[in-house]
Amino acid sequence: MSSITVHLEVPKRIEDGLASGAMERVGGVIRYSGNKQIVAWLREGGEVTEEIASKSRMIQTILEATGKSATTIGNIVGRTVPLLGIAFAGYELLEMITGIEGNQEEIEAIYERVEEQFRRDRLTELFTALQIGKRVTNVEDPEVKAQQVGEVNVLLVKSKEHVTQYFNDLLNDGLKPEVTEQALRYVILAMQITAMQARCWLEIGELDSALEWLCFGWEETGGLTRRFAHERLGNRRAYFFHKSVSRESFSRFLNIEQWLRGKQDVFRDVVDDNVEDFWEDSVLDAISFRRFPGTARILHDPPPYESSLSQVEILVENYQRLEGFKQELQSSRSDFAEWDEYDGDSTTQISTHNDYVLLVKTAEATS
């Protein structure tokens, strides 16, 4: 770890790299856009409360440098739904379990659509996995520990299959406005389960298994995230070009399109895909309505796309944090245990700093 330095503020070269596009943030990982080599990691120090997170200049600077709008930044730091940890290293299994259990009411609510005869059994599977997972951290016997990790993984696999099924059922029925929050939480819970699976395997030193399950879950939840985004934005997105849509909202829309399409220059593609709808009166139904036939249109207040943009942004943020976890494991498979326990350098201890810190490679590769 001698090649890592702890920063309490974002170094200017990294801020400039993010702003120029030479670097990119993926969850808690900052890497070169070209060769994908990691430059720095974000870590939570001490106990980062929601109040500290919402005021953290470190997070604000990084999000601003990547072009996030004020609304998007507020949506992320002032979270109203669960967020995965900012970095996998230092994100303890018990902390993950506590985070899931802290949303027990929401978890029970997302099982409401399940038939009564299955609901109790399926909730029991998930909460049993959490209880066994708690015990795993205290078991010293390697064989018993490995056995319990296997039991937890079986239960988590079943739980994630159920959650994924419920999500797909919702979308197959047509994603109605009243169930969008529920669908969002299904995907976030699937991401939390994925992270917990990987962390369980790390508890017994199985780095390859941890990475295998993390990669599988990342791909699976990526598909769910994209499906949710497409459903929430709709198939005919020409309405985002309407004069009533603010520049900020349009920019947020383009940022989502960049993520969906996997490239930065998407404006021409978006126009080409929607040009036939630009003058279609029916497309404006997404943002306006007519009180009486033949009368002028009345814009919905608040605009319905505001909630869809916010929901997609928070889901993409969670997904990118899961991707950051994957990158951490892939880049440091041989010494992850050492990195995981890293607590800073001679100037700053992460565990005593109640805010985010940035760990920067001192001998980095060039892009």
Side-chain angles (χ1 to χ4, degrees):
M1 292 301 167
S2 58
S3 61
I4 301 292
T5 55
V6 182
H7 292 256
L8 305 184
E9 296 181 358
V10 182
K12 190 174 187 309
R13 62 188 177 83
I14 290 181
E15 184 178 354
D16 291 345
L18 290 170
S20 69
M23 298 177 188
E24 59 188 6
R25 179 187 73 95
V26 181
V29 169
I30 296 174
R31 65 189 185 188
Y32 285 115
S33 302
N35 59 19
K36 308 302 181 185
Q37 287 188 317
I38 293 179
V39 181
W41 297 264
L42 267 167
R43 282 279 295 273
E44 290 185 6
E47 295 183 7
V48 180
T49 64
E50 290 190 15
E51 181 180 4
I52 290 173
S54 65
K55 296 178 181 179
S56 174
R57 198 54 219 157
M58 172 81 70
I59 297 292
Q60 298 273 343
T61 300
I62 289 175
L63 293 176
E64 288 169 1
T66 55
K68 301 296 185 185
S69 70
T71 301
T72 301
I73 294 172
N75 187 34
I76 293 173
V77 299
R79 52 190 179 273
T80 57
V81 294
L83 272 178
L84 300 180
I86 199 69
F88 201 50
Y91 194 15
E92 300 291 342
L93 176 59
L94 190 58
E95 184 181 354
M96 291 180 179
I97 294 172
T98 302
I100 298 175
E101 286 185 328
N103 296 286
Q104 182 167 341
E105 289 185 8
E106 288 80 359
I107 290 173
E108 291 174 349
I110 67 178
Y111 279 78
E112 283 181 356
R113 292 173 59 90
V114 183
E115 292 183 27
E116 184 64 36
Q117 66 189 87
F118 300 120
R119 185 184 308 162
R120 184 178 299 277
D121 288 343
R122 293 181 177 180
L123 273 171
T124 299
E125 286 176 341
L126 175 58
F127 288 116
T128 299
L130 299 181
Q131 291 304 313
I132 298 175
K134 285 181 181 178
R135 295 200 296 270
V136 165
T137 59
N138 297 320
V139 174
E140 296 183 1
D141 187 301
E143 291 186 6
V144 175
K145 200 179 189 77
Q147 179 184 352
Q148 290 190 345
V149 166
E151 291 175 7
V152 170
N153 195 54
V154 169
L155 291 169
L156 291 179
V157 167
K158 291 181 179 179
S159 296
K160 191 160 65 170
E161 285 177 351
H162 297 152
V163 168
T164 302
Q165 174 194 330
Y166 305 151
F167 171 83
N168 287 324
D169 288 346
L170 275 184
L171 270 67
N172 290 340
D173 291 341
L175 190 57
K176 301 176 179 63
E178 61 269 21
V179 297
T180 57
E181 182 82 4
Q182 192 175 35
L184 172 68
R185 289 179 181 272
Y186 281 141
V187 185
I188 293 175
L189 180 56
M191 293 177 182
Q192 290 175 310
I193 290 173
T194 294
M196 183 176 167
Q197 283 178 302
R199 178 54 78 176
C200 279
W201 287 112
L202 287 180
E203 287 290 321
I204 58 174
E206 291 288 344
L207 288 175
D208 288 341
S209 294
L211 183 57
E212 180 181 355
W213 283 100
L214 188 56
C215 287
F216 175 78
W218 171 72
E219 292 178 359
E220 185 178 35
T221 56
L224 302 181
T225 301
R226 288 180 173 83
R227 188 177 182 195
F228 181 85
H230 284 303
E231 289 284 342
R232 287 299 278 133
L233 297 179
N235 295 325
R236 305 172 72 184
R237 301 172 194 172
Y239 65 86
F240 278 103
F241 290 82
H242 190 261
K243 62 183 179 181
S244 65
V245 177
S246 69
R247 289 178 179 269
E248 182 186 51
S249 294
F250 183 71
S251 177
R252 292 166 66 196
F253 161 66
L254 284 184
N255 282 338
I256 291 172
E257 287 286 358
Q258 287 174 340
W259 180 78
L260 285 170
R261 296 169 188 265
K263 60 181 183 179
Q264 292 297 306
D265 188 8
V266 299
F267 185 79
R268 179 61 183 269
D269 291 344
V270 172
V271 171
D272 287 345
D273 289 347
N274 294 281
V275 67
E276 293 183 2
D277 289 335
F278 280 168
W279 312 120
E280 279 289 325
D281 191 60
S282 61
V283 173
L284 295 181
D285 291 343
I287 57 174
S288 62
F289 63 96
R290 296 185 189 277
R291 184 166 294 166
F292 303 105
T295 60
R297 284 186 170 274
I298 301 171
L299 293 172
H300 289 292
D301 186 24
Y305 55 79
E306 283 297 329
S307 63
S308 62
L309 288 173
S310 295
Q311 288 181 336
V312 174
E313 284 172 338
I314 204 69
L315 195 53
V316 170
E317 172 68 22
N318 267 303
Y319 177 69
Q320 289 184 321
R321 291 188 178 193
L322 198 62
E323 183 179 359
F325 294 174
K326 179 175 73 78
Q327 176 106 31
E328 286 181 56
L329 279 181
Q330 286 175 327
S331 66
S332 50
R333 291 170 66 180
S334 61
D335 61 348
F336 188 82
E338 181 186 358
W339 154 249
D340 196 22
E341 297 170 0
Y342 181 60
D343 193 30
D345 53 28
S346 58
T347 60
T348 304
Q349 281 193 309
I350 299 171
S351 59
T352 61
H353 182 66
N354 286 331
D355 199 346
Y356 293 93
V357 300
L358 192 67
L359 308 185
V360 183
K361 280 188 177 181
T362 54
E364 70 207 52
T366 59
S367 59

